[in-house]
Amino acid sequence: QVQLVESGGGLVQPGGSLRLSCATSGLTFSSYAMGWFRQTPGKEREFVATINYSGSSTYYADSVKGRFTISRANAKNTVYLQLNRLKPEDTAVYYCAAVRGWSTIYYRTYEYEYWGQGTQVTVSS
């Protein structure tokens, strides 16, 4: 059974940092591109970042570019999202997702096959 489990969310002040982790099991991790999405109540789930199967290519939403960094450790079957210089508008439930494929960029929700349960990030003073 495929599982994606996010962790690392929490409450942080504006300008602060968090590192989210997504531990996977039940899939051949190195064959999957991974993505991070986020969602707030009443809004559609939005793309945040993606990384290809090997970690050689990354792509970010304009709203987080320069502040967030996606990375992966294939030997640990884990993908990370480093969130720096956080803003209140970054507050959301952050979801990890996986899709098997060779494309460099996957930024649409429907492209992803597996999803985690989400972890809450709250940015507030």
Side-chain angles (χ1 to χ4, degrees):
Q1 184 178 77
V2 173
Q3 288 189 307
L4 282 66
V5 180
E6 302 95 333
S7 62
L11 176 64
V12 63
Q13 292 186 334
S17 298
L18 287 172
R19 190 176 81 152
L20 308 183
S21 298
C22 174
T24 71
S25 61
L27 52 75
T28 305
F29 183 72
S30 61
S31 298
Y32 284 77
M34 303 295 298
W36 286 96
F37 293 76
R38 65 187 183 186
Q39 188 169 26
T40 56
K43 296 181 64 178
E44 292 186 348
R45 192 166 298 184
E46 69 171 338
F47 169 76
V48 175
T50 188
I51 188 167
N52 75 338
Y53 70 97
S54 69
S56 63
S57 297
T58 59
Y59 181 72
Y60 300 90
D62 288 343
S63 59
V64 307
K65 190 175 298 183
R67 299 188 298 119
F68 293 6
T69 303
I70 188 172
S71 61
R72 67 191 297 157
N74 282 2
K76 298 180 179 180
N77 298 329
T78 300
V79 64
Y80 306 95
L81 186 68
Q82 179 69 42
L83 302 85
N84 296 327
R85 302 192 302 280
L86 283 160
K87 305 174 181 179
E89 51 262 45
D90 295 319
T91 296
V93 177
Y94 283 72
Y95 296 91
C96 174
V99 56
R100 184 183 178 96
W102 295 99
S103 178
T104 300
I105 301 173
Y106 294 95
Y107 62 91
R108 302 183 182 94
T109 58
Y110 67 80
E111 293 176 314
Y112 285 84
E113 185 175 4
Y114 301 108
W115 294 84
Q117 84 292 341
T119 185
Q120 177 71 47
V121 172
T122 302
V123 185
S124 177
S125 59

